[in-house]
mmCIF file of all heavy atoms in Angstrom:
data_model
loop_
_atom_site.group_PDB
_atom_site.id
_atom_site.type_symbol
_atom_site.label_atom_id
_atom_site.label_comp_id
_atom_site.label_asym_id
_atom_site.label_seq_id
_atom_site.Cartn_x
_atom_site.Cartn_y
_atom_site.Cartn_z
ATOM 1 N N LEU A 16 71.761 92.679 94.788
ATOM 2 C CA LEU A 16 72.856 92.739 95.755
ATOM 3 C C LEU A 16 74.081 93.440 95.171
ATOM 4 O O LEU A 16 74.792 94.157 95.877
ATOM 5 C CB LEU A 16 73.218 91.340 96.236
ATOM 6 C CG LEU A 16 72.146 90.650 97.081
ATOM 7 C CD1 LEU A 16 72.538 89.207 97.365
ATOM 8 C CD2 LEU A 16 71.888 91.406 98.368
ATOM 9 N N LYS A 17 74.315 93.267 93.875
ATOM 10 C CA LYS A 17 75.434 93.962 93.229
ATOM 11 C C LYS A 17 75.210 95.471 93.231
ATOM 12 O O LYS A 17 76.150 96.241 93.454
ATOM 13 C CB LYS A 17 75.622 93.454 91.792
ATOM 14 C CG LYS A 17 76.293 92.109 91.722
ATOM 15 C CD LYS A 17 76.502 91.683 90.279
ATOM 16 C CE LYS A 17 77.254 90.365 90.201
ATOM 17 N NZ LYS A 17 77.505 89.948 88.812
ATOM 18 N N ILE A 18 73.980 95.884 93.001
ATOM 19 C CA ILE A 18 73.658 97.322 93.040
ATOM 20 C C ILE A 18 73.878 97.877 94.446
ATOM 21 O O ILE A 18 74.512 98.922 94.623
ATOM 22 C CB ILE A 18 72.208 97.574 92.571
ATOM 23 C CG1 ILE A 18 72.073 97.276 91.081
ATOM 24 C CG2 ILE A 18 71.781 99.011 92.875
ATOM 25 C CD1 ILE A 18 70.648 97.200 90.594
ATOM 26 N N LEU A 19 73.369 97.163 95.453
ATOM 27 C CA LEU A 19 73.554 97.603 96.836
ATOM 28 C C LEU A 19 75.032 97.663 97.201
ATOM 29 O O LEU A 19 75.482 98.603 97.863
ATOM 30 C CB LEU A 19 72.815 96.678 97.805
ATOM 31 C CG LEU A 19 71.302 96.744 97.814
ATOM 32 C CD1 LEU A 19 70.747 95.757 98.838
ATOM 33 C CD2 LEU A 19 70.822 98.147 98.114
ATOM 34 N N HIS A 20 75.783 96.659 96.764
ATOM 35 C CA HIS A 20 77.217 96.617 97.045
ATOM 36 C C HIS A 20 77.921 97.822 96.419
ATOM 37 O O HIS A 20 78.736 98.493 97.074
ATOM 38 C CB HIS A 20 77.803 95.306 96.522
ATOM 39 C CG HIS A 20 79.258 95.156 96.776
ATOM 40 N ND1 HIS A 20 79.770 94.841 98.008
ATOM 41 C CD2 HIS A 20 80.324 95.294 95.951
ATOM 42 C CE1 HIS A 20 81.082 94.792 97.942
ATOM 43 N NE2 HIS A 20 81.440 95.059 96.705
ATOM 44 N N LYS A 21 77.611 98.096 95.181
ATOM 45 C CA LYS A 21 78.231 99.229 94.476
ATOM 46 C C LYS A 21 77.910 100.545 95.190
ATOM 47 O O LYS A 21 78.799 101.372 95.420
ATOM 48 C CB LYS A 21 77.749 99.278 93.031
ATOM 49 C CG LYS A 21 78.322 100.417 92.238
ATOM 50 C CD LYS A 21 77.772 100.437 90.819
ATOM 51 C CE LYS A 21 78.325 101.656 90.103
ATOM 52 N NZ LYS A 21 77.329 102.396 89.389
ATOM 53 N N LEU A 22 76.652 100.740 95.549
ATOM 54 C CA LEU A 22 76.252 101.962 96.241
ATOM 55 C C LEU A 22 76.904 102.060 97.618
ATOM 56 O O LEU A 22 77.326 103.147 98.036
ATOM 57 C CB LEU A 22 74.729 102.035 96.364
ATOM 58 C CG LEU A 22 73.971 102.207 95.053
ATOM 59 C CD1 LEU A 22 72.476 102.018 95.259
ATOM 60 C CD2 LEU A 22 74.267 103.566 94.434
ATOM 61 N N SER A 23 77.010 100.943 98.314
ATOM 62 C CA SER A 23 77.663 100.935 99.628
ATOM 63 C C SER A 23 79.135 101.297 99.502
ATOM 64 O O SER A 23 79.651 102.094 100.292
ATOM 65 C CB SER A 23 77.524 99.569 100.290
ATOM 66 O OG SER A 23 76.177 99.276 100.545
ATOM 67 N N GLU A 24 79.800 100.716 98.521
ATOM 68 C CA GLU A 24 81.224 100.998 98.306
ATOM 69 C C GLU A 24 81.431 102.479 97.980
ATOM 70 O O GLU A 24 82.372 103.105 98.476
ATOM 71 C CB GLU A 24 81.781 100.129 97.176
ATOM 72 C CG GLU A 24 81.893 98.669 97.530
ATOM 73 C CD GLU A 24 83.048 98.377 98.462
ATOM 74 O OE1 GLU A 24 84.171 98.848 98.201
ATOM 75 O OE2 GLU A 24 82.819 97.683 99.468
ATOM 76 N N GLU A 25 80.560 103.040 97.163
ATOM 77 C CA GLU A 25 80.649 104.465 96.825
ATOM 78 C C GLU A 25 80.454 105.322 98.064
ATOM 79 O O GLU A 25 81.178 106.290 98.283
ATOM 80 C CB GLU A 25 79.613 104.835 95.757
ATOM 81 C CG GLU A 25 79.931 104.325 94.381
ATOM 82 C CD GLU A 25 78.816 104.607 93.380
ATOM 83 O OE1 GLU A 25 77.908 105.423 93.677
ATOM 84 O OE2 GLU A 25 78.852 104.007 92.290
ATOM 85 N N TRP A 26 79.465 104.974 98.872
ATOM 86 C CA TRP A 26 79.188 105.743 100.083
ATOM 87 C C TRP A 26 80.382 105.685 101.035
ATOM 88 O O TRP A 26 80.794 106.703 101.591
ATOM 89 C CB TRP A 26 77.927 105.227 100.781
ATOM 90 C CG TRP A 26 77.507 106.100 101.904
ATOM 91 C CD1 TRP A 26 76.653 107.152 101.844
ATOM 92 C CD2 TRP A 26 77.938 106.011 103.271
ATOM 93 N NE1 TRP A 26 76.525 107.727 103.088
ATOM 94 C CE2 TRP A 26 77.311 107.049 103.978
ATOM 95 C CE3 TRP A 26 78.795 105.156 103.956
ATOM 96 C CZ2 TRP A 26 77.513 107.259 105.337
ATOM 97 C CZ3 TRP A 26 79.012 105.366 105.313
ATOM 98 C CH2 TRP A 26 78.363 106.400 105.982
ATOM 99 N N VAL A 27 80.940 104.505 101.224
ATOM 100 C CA VAL A 27 82.097 104.346 102.106
ATOM 101 C C VAL A 27 83.265 105.179 101.581
ATOM 102 O O VAL A 27 83.929 105.891 102.340
ATOM 103 C CB VAL A 27 82.486 102.856 102.249
ATOM 104 C CG1 VAL A 27 83.861 102.698 102.866
ATOM 105 C CG2 VAL A 27 81.438 102.123 103.077
ATOM 106 N N ARG A 28 83.522 105.111 100.289
ATOM 107 C CA ARG A 28 84.624 105.874 99.703
ATOM 108 C C ARG A 28 84.436 107.377 99.914
ATOM 109 O O ARG A 28 85.366 108.078 100.296
ATOM 110 C CB ARG A 28 84.745 105.553 98.207
ATOM 111 C CG ARG A 28 86.013 106.106 97.568
ATOM 112 C CD ARG A 28 86.123 105.791 96.075
ATOM 113 N NE ARG A 28 85.287 106.668 95.271
ATOM 114 C CZ ARG A 28 84.053 106.393 94.801
ATOM 115 N NH1 ARG A 28 83.502 105.243 95.037
ATOM 116 N NH2 ARG A 28 83.365 107.235 94.078
ATOM 117 N N LYS A 29 83.233 107.869 99.717
ATOM 118 C CA LYS A 29 82.963 109.305 99.847
ATOM 119 C C LYS A 29 82.968 109.777 101.297
ATOM 120 O O LYS A 29 83.245 110.943 101.564
ATOM 121 C CB LYS A 29 81.602 109.639 99.222
ATOM 122 C CG LYS A 29 81.589 109.560 97.721
ATOM 123 C CD LYS A 29 80.200 109.860 97.194
ATOM 124 C CE LYS A 29 80.119 109.657 95.704
ATOM 125 N NZ LYS A 29 78.755 109.846 95.192
ATOM 126 N N ASN A 30 82.634 108.894 102.223
ATOM 127 C CA ASN A 30 82.462 109.310 103.613
ATOM 128 C C ASN A 30 83.541 108.812 104.567
ATOM 129 O O ASN A 30 83.467 109.080 105.764
ATOM 130 C CB ASN A 30 81.088 108.853 104.117
ATOM 131 C CG ASN A 30 79.985 109.602 103.422
ATOM 132 O OD1 ASN A 30 79.708 110.747 103.719
ATOM 133 N ND2 ASN A 30 79.360 108.961 102.445
ATOM 134 N N SER A 31 84.533 108.131 104.069
ATOM 135 C CA SER A 31 85.527 107.511 104.946
ATOM 136 C C SER A 31 86.362 108.523 105.721
ATOM 137 O O SER A 31 86.976 108.163 106.723
ATOM 138 C CB SER A 31 86.440 106.584 104.148
ATOM 139 O OG SER A 31 87.174 107.327 103.191
ATOM 140 N N ARG A 32 86.363 109.760 105.303
ATOM 141 C CA ARG A 32 87.148 110.783 106.021
ATOM 142 C C ARG A 32 86.301 111.630 106.955
ATOM 143 O O ARG A 32 86.821 112.452 107.690
ATOM 144 C CB ARG A 32 87.873 111.664 105.028
ATOM 145 C CG ARG A 32 88.887 110.846 104.252
ATOM 146 C CD ARG A 32 89.814 111.674 103.477
ATOM 147 N NE ARG A 32 90.756 110.755 102.844
ATOM 148 C CZ ARG A 32 91.552 111.090 101.890
ATOM 149 N NH1 ARG A 32 91.549 112.309 101.451
ATOM 150 N NH2 ARG A 32 92.368 110.204 101.372
ATOM 151 N N LYS A 33 85.012 111.408 106.931
ATOM 152 C CA LYS A 33 84.124 112.196 107.791
ATOM 153 C C LYS A 33 84.133 111.719 109.234
ATOM 154 O O LYS A 33 83.881 112.495 110.140
ATOM 155 C CB LYS A 33 82.688 112.163 107.263
ATOM 156 C CG LYS A 33 82.493 112.950 105.999
ATOM 157 C CD LYS A 33 81.025 112.956 105.612
ATOM 158 C CE LYS A 33 80.793 113.740 104.347
ATOM 159 N NZ LYS A 33 79.374 113.744 103.968
ATOM 160 N N PHE A 34 84.374 110.429 109.435
ATOM 161 C CA PHE A 34 84.394 109.853 110.776
ATOM 162 C C PHE A 34 85.179 108.544 110.739
ATOM 163 O O PHE A 34 85.392 107.982 109.678
ATOM 164 C CB PHE A 34 82.984 109.618 111.330
ATOM 165 C CG PHE A 34 81.979 109.205 110.308
ATOM 166 C CD1 PHE A 34 81.940 107.898 109.839
ATOM 167 C CD2 PHE A 34 81.078 110.104 109.790
ATOM 168 C CE1 PHE A 34 81.013 107.505 108.888
ATOM 169 C CE2 PHE A 34 80.156 109.721 108.834
ATOM 170 C CZ PHE A 34 80.116 108.439 108.387
ATOM 171 N N PRO A 35 85.601 108.066 111.914
ATOM 172 C CA PRO A 35 86.373 106.817 111.934
ATOM 173 C C PRO A 35 85.581 105.649 111.350
ATOM 174 O O PRO A 35 84.407 105.472 111.669
ATOM 175 C CB PRO A 35 86.642 106.589 113.424
ATOM 176 C CG PRO A 35 86.437 107.906 114.071
ATOM 177 C CD PRO A 35 85.431 108.637 113.237
ATOM 178 N N MET A 36 86.240 104.905 110.470
ATOM 179 C CA MET A 36 85.565 103.792 109.813
ATOM 180 C C MET A 36 86.480 102.570 109.796
ATOM 181 O O MET A 36 87.633 102.667 109.403
ATOM 182 C CB MET A 36 85.180 104.180 108.383
ATOM 183 C CG MET A 36 84.291 103.162 107.716
ATOM 184 S SD MET A 36 83.688 103.669 106.084
ATOM 185 C CE MET A 36 83.027 105.279 106.361
ATOM 186 N N LEU A 37 85.932 101.467 110.233
ATOM 187 C CA LEU A 37 86.639 100.190 110.217
ATOM 188 C C LEU A 37 85.943 99.277 109.214
ATOM 189 O O LEU A 37 84.748 99.013 109.335
ATOM 190 C CB LEU A 37 86.624 99.549 111.613
ATOM 191 C CG LEU A 37 87.133 98.121 111.736
ATOM 192 C CD1 LEU A 37 88.593 98.020 111.314
ATOM 193 C CD2 LEU A 37 86.935 97.613 113.150
ATOM 194 N N THR A 38 86.689 98.816 108.223
ATOM 195 C CA THR A 38 86.142 97.890 107.231
ATOM 196 C C THR A 38 86.637 96.487 107.573
ATOM 197 O O THR A 38 87.835 96.266 107.730
ATOM 198 C CB THR A 38 86.591 98.277 105.817
ATOM 199 O OG1 THR A 38 86.101 99.588 105.521
ATOM 200 C CG2 THR A 38 86.059 97.295 104.783
ATOM 201 N N ILE A 39 85.700 95.564 107.697
ATOM 202 C CA ILE A 39 86.037 94.169 108.004
ATOM 203 C C ILE A 39 85.479 93.282 106.906
ATOM 204 O O ILE A 39 84.271 93.287 106.646
ATOM 205 C CB ILE A 39 85.462 93.739 109.371
ATOM 206 C CG1 ILE A 39 86.056 94.602 110.488
ATOM 207 C CG2 ILE A 39 85.733 92.257 109.620
ATOM 208 C CD1 ILE A 39 85.467 94.323 111.850
ATOM 209 N N ASN A 40 86.368 92.536 106.249
ATOM 210 C CA ASN A 40 85.932 91.565 105.253
ATOM 211 C C ASN A 40 85.376 90.356 106.010
ATOM 212 O O ASN A 40 86.093 89.678 106.727
ATOM 213 C CB ASN A 40 87.096 91.159 104.354
ATOM 214 C CG ASN A 40 86.651 90.266 103.228
ATOM 215 O OD1 ASN A 40 85.638 89.572 103.314
ATOM 216 N ND2 ASN A 40 87.407 90.270 102.156
ATOM 217 N N THR A 41 84.096 90.114 105.866
ATOM 218 C CA THR A 41 83.433 89.077 106.660
ATOM 219 C C THR A 41 83.328 87.729 105.943
ATOM 220 O O THR A 41 82.667 86.822 106.441
ATOM 221 C CB THR A 41 82.024 89.541 107.086
ATOM 222 O OG1 THR A 41 81.262 89.835 105.919
ATOM 223 C CG2 THR A 41 82.105 90.759 107.977
ATOM 224 N N LYS A 42 84.014 87.583 104.823
ATOM 225 C CA LYS A 42 83.940 86.314 104.089
ATOM 226 C C LYS A 42 84.382 85.135 104.951
ATOM 227 O O LYS A 42 83.822 84.049 104.868
ATOM 228 C CB LYS A 42 84.778 86.378 102.815
ATOM 229 C CG LYS A 42 84.673 85.124 101.979
ATOM 230 C CD LYS A 42 85.426 85.251 100.680
ATOM 231 C CE LYS A 42 85.269 83.981 99.854
ATOM 232 N NZ LYS A 42 85.955 84.083 98.571
ATOM 233 N N LYS A 43 85.376 85.354 105.799
ATOM 234 C CA LYS A 43 85.908 84.264 106.608
ATOM 235 C C LYS A 43 85.340 84.259 108.023
ATOM 236 O O LYS A 43 85.768 83.472 108.849
ATOM 237 C CB LYS A 43 87.430 84.355 106.646
ATOM 238 C CG LYS A 43 88.052 84.147 105.285
ATOM 239 C CD LYS A 43 89.552 84.205 105.341
ATOM 240 C CE LYS A 43 90.112 84.005 103.936
ATOM 241 N NZ LYS A 43 91.554 84.135 103.911
#
């Protein structure tokens, strides 16, 4: 899960300007 999280975070960082992106912290 840590590997998936790291890869997801990298993908979001690299692609956040390509299209509208809403990040929601779902912990709560």
